[in-house]
Amino acid sequence: MKARIEITLKTGVLDPQGEAIRRALDGLGFEGVGGVRQGKLIEVELSETDPAAARQAAEQMCEKLLANTVIERYSVEIV
Amino acid sequence: MKARIEITLKTGVLDPQGEAIRRALDGLGFEGVGGVRQGKLIEVELSETDPAAARQAAEQMCEKLLANTVIERYSVEIV
């Protein structure tokens, strides 16, 4: 199975990388661009065949390594 | 409208960041982890109200700034 993990900054946490992108888009002449937020997308191949167990493993990976849960939230999709 | 842009490395392009994650997961005792790929997730708020125009603008942003189309592919979802 494959776990598709999205990690994004929590609402209210400053995102300087997103802000840099916003300014660059502005500088390139794109109009009507409001806020920009950048997150991470991590795809993990798992040998686990049970979707529930795969999801649990992926969530453990987020808690222990992939996400900084103080400032980031994660969502896991099993595909 | 909001454009949700996913940028991932094309198949076959080496992903050292993903490989580093795989090794770290392995070191933490996670079993059955195959390949890991890391990509980017960018959310752009657009004042554009026409979905087709918003998609076109987001694709232009990918071509001109957000993605390196030599090694990365992007997908745009308008939400």
Side-chain angles (χ1 to χ4, degrees), chain A:
Chain A
M1 318 212 75
K2 191 192 271 184
R4 245 180 123 272
I5 299 167
E6 288 182 12
I7 298 170
T8 50
L9 286 170
K10 288 183 179 173
T11 311
V13 177
L14 273 180
D15 181 356
Q17 212 170 356
E19 178 60 17
I21 293 172
R22 195 195 60 75
R23 287 187 196 196
L25 288 173
D26 205 51
L28 283 171
F30 286 102
E31 284 170 17
V33 177
V36 178
R37 305 284 283 176
Q38 173 157 5
K40 282 181 282 188
L41 182 68
I42 300 172
E43 292 184 344
V44 182
E45 292 279 354
L46 297 166
S47 60
E48 180 63 57
T49 52
D50 173 42
R55 172 178 297 275
Q56 201 178 16
E59 286 175 353
Q60 279 296 309
M61 290 173 194
C62 289
E63 292 285 340
K64 289 197 180 160
L65 177 74
L66 303 177
N68 174 351
T69 54
V70 177
I71 56 168
E72 294 171 325
R73 66 172 161 248
Y74 58 84
S75 69
V76 173
E77 189 189 347
I78 302 295
V79 289

Side-chain angles (χ1 to χ4, degrees), chain A residues 4 6 21 24-25 30 32-47 60-61 65-66, chain B residues 4 6 8 21 24-25 30 32-47 60-61 65-66:
Chain A
R4 245 180 123 272
E6 288 182 12
I21 293 172
L25 288 173
F30 286 102
V33 177
V36 178
R37 305 284 283 176
Q38 173 157 5
K40 282 181 282 188
L41 182 68
I42 300 172
E43 292 184 344
V44 182
E45 292 279 354
L46 297 166
S47 60
Q60 279 296 309
M61 290 173 194
L65 177 74
L66 303 177
Chain B
R4 247 180 122 272
E6 288 183 12
T8 50
I21 292 172
L25 288 173
F30 287 103
V33 177
V36 178
R37 305 284 281 175
Q38 174 159 3
K40 281 180 282 188
L41 182 68
I42 300 172
E43 292 184 344
V44 182
E45 292 280 353
L46 297 166
S47 61
Q60 280 295 308
M61 291 172 193
L65 177 73
L66 304 176

Side-chain angles (χ1 to χ4, degrees), chain B residues 11-70:
Chain B
T11 310
V13 176
L14 272 181
D15 181 357
Q17 211 170 357
E19 178 60 15
I21 292 172
R22 194 193 61 72
R23 286 187 196 196
L25 288 173
D26 205 51
L28 284 172
F30 287 103
E31 283 170 16
V33 177
V36 178
R37 305 284 281 175
Q38 174 159 3
K40 281 180 282 188
L41 182 68
I42 300 172
E43 292 184 344
V44 182
E45 292 280 353
L46 297 166
S47 61
E48 180 62 58
T49 52
D50 174 42
R55 172 178 296 276
Q56 200 178 15
E59 286 175 354
Q60 280 295 308
M61 291 172 193
C62 289
E63 292 285 341
K64 289 198 181 160
L65 177 73
L66 304 176
N68 174 352
T69 54
V70 176

